[in-house]
Amino acid sequence: MNIIRGDQYNIGHICTRQQCDLGRGDKVAFRWVSSHQERTNYTFSDLDRESNRFANALQLLGFDAGDILFTFLPKTPEQFFSFLGALKFQVICGTLFSNFGDDALLDRLGDAKAKGIVTKKSLLKKITRIKDQLPSLEYIIVTDIEEHQSQDILSYPALVRQASDDFTAPITAPVTPSVLHYTSGSTGKPKGVLHVHHSILHQSRTTSEVLNLTTSDIFWCTADQGWVTGTSYGIIGPWSLGVTQVHYGGGYDAKLWFDLLQNEAVTIWYSAPTALRMLMREDSELYKGYDLGTLRHIFSVGEPLNPEVISWSRATIGKDIYDTWFQTETGGIMITNRPGLEIRPGSMGTPLNGIEPEIIADDGKILGNNQQGNLCLKTGWSSMFVTYLNNESAYNSKIKNGYYYTGDTAVRDDDGFYWFKGRSDDVINTAGHLISPFEVESVLLEIEEIAESGVIGAPDELLYEKVVAFVYLHKQFTWSKELEVKVRLHVSNRASSIATPQEIIIVDSVPKNKSGKIMRRVLKARYLGQDTGDISTLEE
Ligand code: AMP
């Protein structure tokens, strides 16, 4: 289905005004269920007007096309209005997890030279603490204060009250920058993955072709908007097709989630393996008596989906779970199981038509079936990122001979199914969140008692991987319960609660090679009781 009218590729316009023009103005765009279970319906016409107000407010503040605005919010209606409003005005919108701590925020806002940020009162302190180090940050827009607090701390309600609800998005060329997500690497600071407006083509296509959504569906995507799944499939894909979504502002709660599935009559549900494993662990009695008759399909993304979860779902909900694979850089689903095709539990499925993966060895040789190597994708799909912001060399290092190296390793079987094997770098995937060991190590070194640190991901039954920190203390300090609490709090406050190590191991030294690089491979092998391999360059 062609969603582009004329030359207009603007995501904000297509998801709102265009839906109204197609006669869906009175249709519910999202049913908002707050963390206290209060419900409010927002129609496409509401979404259009509220995002117009926000676009006009940005214009009044002096924003220009190409400026960067971040949202730093839990799931709230303003998240959607400001994201779409910014895009309408061709302001680039970055989204940040609300559990990010000061260092994580500073790295991202500083690198992007953000001009503005939309946040909540409860998160404001995190920004004011680092504001002095962010000379480009002119406006902090707070969704739950009624009046402006100062020249730069502004009230969202006051701003939109005085802004018109009429706004016409400029005709937006396909390659105009749109969405920015930061992703973690194993070395260096997080990288800003930049997308452009024509990503909507692939997001819309996969919403229909993979997620099976039609205008009569009710869709619930549990992903936070800080993550690419939350923007590509919690906003852009479904609304580009006029689909009604459920957005729930609370966290995980098995009973509440099943209440939502049943009472909102959800037809398509998109979630993640850790959440599904948590549901699997609950007492099976909890699920008795629910009627999920409206539910057509369940999809999963973010981590390997273990076959046991699929069996649990078949037995408990009477549905398969379709695993989908993609990443921030791909902007949309690339390899996937989908209704109508055979599911091989444990496999990510097969590539979409037009997506051409290859398994490539480190020396650049394209490998055949059943051989493990780097999972690479032939470049050129519409939702492919266009660069890492301010880091063209990192972008170039990932593209070789027309293939994008995803950082994952995989195997393709004789029938064309892809099987995820792991990462080719040290990035940790905990509950679907990519954590940089380097970021956690840096934050640990801010603690005065800690002399050295090395961080790895270790297998975990629930989270897929857990964060394990090896810590070497300065001689004059000893490890204690108090110090452990201090370390945990520090990582949570500076990096994020998700990056906080599940295990902290005190060591006499952290293995490094001759150039001083932490040998996480050695730490991991020791932790797992495996052979440490070649340690000829090791210097403890
Ligand atoms: P992100 O860029 O944060 O969305 O993380 C993308 C990474 O998560 C991928 O490169 C994989 O390592 C992992 N991932 C995403 N989906 C899957 C999946 N279905 N199976 C295994 N790993 C996945």
Side-chain angles (χ1 to χ4, degrees):
M1 186 202 309
N2 186 11
I3 54 160
I4 304 301
R5 304 276 175 275
D7 296 325
Q8 181 54 291
Y9 282 79
N10 189 291
I11 293 173
H13 171 88
I14 295 170
C15 291
T16 63
R17 184 71 247 155
Q18 187 163 302
Q19 302 311 313
C20 300
D21 293 344
L22 289 168
R24 299 182 184 131
D26 293 334
K27 182 176 179 186
V28 174
F30 70 111
R31 300 178 184 169
W32 169 243
V33 184
S34 75
S35 52
H36 306 293
Q37 280 94 68
E38 293 138 356
R39 297 177 79 268
T40 317
N41 285 344
Y42 293 91
T43 62
F44 278 101
S45 158
D46 293 330
L47 202 55
D48 186 40
R49 279 195 302 267
E50 293 301 330
S51 55
N52 284 348
R53 284 203 174 95
F54 191 76
N56 281 319
L58 290 182
Q59 194 160 28
L60 287 171
L61 290 174
F63 276 76
D64 284 318
D67 283 342
I68 298 181
L69 173 94
F70 278 94
T71 59
F72 178 47
L73 290 167
K75 228 184 250 267
T76 54
E78 290 83 2
Q79 167 76 73
F80 306 107
F81 306 150
S82 50
F83 180 85
L84 293 168
L87 293 182
K88 275 184 169 173
F89 188 39
Q90 296 183 349
V91 162
I92 299 167
C93 191
T95 59
L96 297 165
F97 285 107
S98 57
N99 59 29
F100 276 154
D102 300 16
D103 289 6
L105 282 174
L106 185 59
D107 286 343
R108 289 156 176 84
L109 294 171
D111 179 63
K113 300 192 178 54
K115 181 162 175 165
I117 185 165
V118 185
T119 192
K120 268 186 85 166
K121 204 160 73 183
S122 55
L123 300 172
L124 186 56
K125 260 208 185 122
K126 292 192 189 183
I127 305 165
T128 50
R129 278 199 295 258
I130 55 172
K131 171 94 179 48
D132 285 354
Q133 299 166 70
L134 296 166
S136 307
L137 188 66
E138 289 180 39
Y139 299 111
I140 304 170
I141 303 170
V142 187
T143 57
D144 49 355
I145 57 174
E146 280 311 306
E147 300 302 333
H148 298 327
Q149 227 175 66
S150 60
Q151 296 252 307
D152 48 9
I153 302 183
L154 305 178
S155 149
Y156 182 109
L159 278 177
V160 295
R161 254 196 319 266
Q162 65 184 33
S164 158
D165 65 3
D166 190 19
F167 182 86
T168 303
I171 295 295
T172 300
V175 291
T176 312
S178 56
V179 179
L180 181 66
H181 285 288
Y182 274 80
T183 192
S184 299
S186 48
T187 54
K189 300 279 187 195
K191 299 187 286 285
V193 180
L194 186 65
H195 286 280
V196 292
H197 278 264
H198 75 29
S199 70
I200 195 169
L201 295 180
H202 187 78
Q203 289 149 351
S204 177
R205 172 195 166 193
T206 42
T207 298
S208 140
E209 238 179 86
V210 179
L211 302 180
N212 245 260
L213 285 163
T214 65
T215 47
S216 49
D217 278 303
I218 308 289
F219 179 52
W220 183 28
C221 172
T222 56
D224 189 277
Q225 272 58 48
W227 180 30
V228 65
T229 305
T231 55
S232 295
Y233 297 106
I235 301 180
I236 305 172
W239 284 338
S240 71
L241 296 174
V243 173
T244 299
Q245 302 198 61
V246 172
H247 278 305
Y248 170 52
Y252 171 83
D253 181 312
K255 183 170 177 330
L256 261 167
W257 279 29
F258 266 63
D259 285 349
L260 268 181
L261 287 169
Q262 174 183 266
N263 301 342
E264 301 300 329
V266 171
T267 57
I268 309 275
W269 182 31
Y270 201 8
S271 197
T274 294
L276 294 164
R277 282 191 290 268
M278 284 161 79
L279 290 170
M280 187 173 86
R281 288 185 169 197
E282 305 276 354
D283 184 346
S284 58
E285 282 299 306
L286 194 135
Y287 302 118
K288 298 224 164 100
Y290 279 99
D291 175 6
L292 301 187
T294 57
L295 191 61
R296 293 200 293 121
H297 300 300
I298 309 173
F299 295 86
S300 162
V301 66
E303 318 148 48
L305 180 68
N306 34 331
E308 298 78 3
V309 184
I310 301 181
S311 310
W312 167 81
S313 173
R314 282 178 181 157
T316 311
I317 310 178
K319 294 281 161 203
D320 277 320
I321 305 177
Y322 298 98
D323 187 15
T324 66
W325 178 91
F326 74 108
Q327 52 176 203
T328 308
E329 287 88 339
T330 73
I333 299 167
M334 302 275 109
I335 298 176
T336 181
N337 292 282
R338 46 208 182 272
L341 295 183
E342 173 205 353
I343 293 185
R344 293 202 179 165
S347 157
M348 309 188 284
T350 55
L352 283 160
N353 273 344
I355 301 298
E356 298 175 57
E358 287 291 357
I359 304 294
I360 303 183
D362 288 343
D363 64 5
K365 187 168 156 255
I366 296 191
L367 299 174
N369 293 344
N370 306 311
Q371 287 183 286
Q372 182 170 332
N374 298 294
L375 175 62
C376 302
L377 301 164
K378 197 167 200 173
T379 56
W381 67 96
S382 72
S383 62
M384 181 176 167
F385 73 130
V386 290
T387 193
Y388 290 120
L389 201 69
N390 311 318
N391 201 346
E392 200 64 25
S393 64
Y395 177 80
N396 292 335
S397 72
K398 290 219 170 175
I399 315 270
K400 290 174 210 154
N401 298 324
Y403 283 94
Y404 161 65
Y405 280 59
T406 65
D408 284 0
T409 57
V411 164
R412 180 183 53 234
D413 68 19
D414 288 332
D415 300 318
F417 283 78
Y418 282 76
W419 300 75
F420 177 84
K421 291 293 167 190
R423 293 282 308 179
S424 57
D425 53 22
D426 295 328
V427 168
I428 304 163
N429 184 335
T430 189
H433 294 267
L434 295 196
I435 302 287
S436 154
F438 171 82
E439 263 190 292
V440 184
E441 285 158 3
S442 310
V443 163
L444 286 168
L445 291 183
E446 293 171 353
I447 300 169
E448 64 162 333
E449 289 88 344
I450 296 181
E452 289 178 4
S453 70
V455 170
I456 60 159
D460 184 82
E461 276 191 6
L462 182 63
L463 305 170
Y464 174 55
E465 287 189 316
K466 60 183 169 184
V467 180
V468 178
F470 294 82
V471 164
Y472 170 51
L473 297 179
H474 285 292
K475 290 274 175 294
Q476 67 270 35
F477 298 108
T478 46
W479 189 241
S480 63
K481 260 268 150 273
E482 291 72 35
L483 185 51
E484 182 175 343
V485 172
K486 175 176 166 180
V487 170
R488 284 185 197 286
L489 273 177
H490 185 81
V491 180
S492 178
N493 289 337
R494 308 295 294 196
S496 82
S497 51
I498 290 160
T500 308
Q502 265 85 28
E503 232 179 289
I504 302 171
I505 299 172
I506 305 302
V507 288
D508 292 335
S509 67
V510 172
K512 286 192 242 54
N513 66 12
K514 292 196 167 47
S515 51
K517 204 166 157 248
I518 296 161
M519 294 185 80
R520 300 188 190 111
R521 174 177 64 78
V522 173
L523 282 173
K524 191 158 181 169
R526 282 182 188 164
Y527 181 84
L528 297 174
Q530 295 170 347
D531 179 12
T532 45
D534 176 13
I535 48 170
S536 54
T537 60
L538 181 69
E539 297 234 318
E540 296 242 21

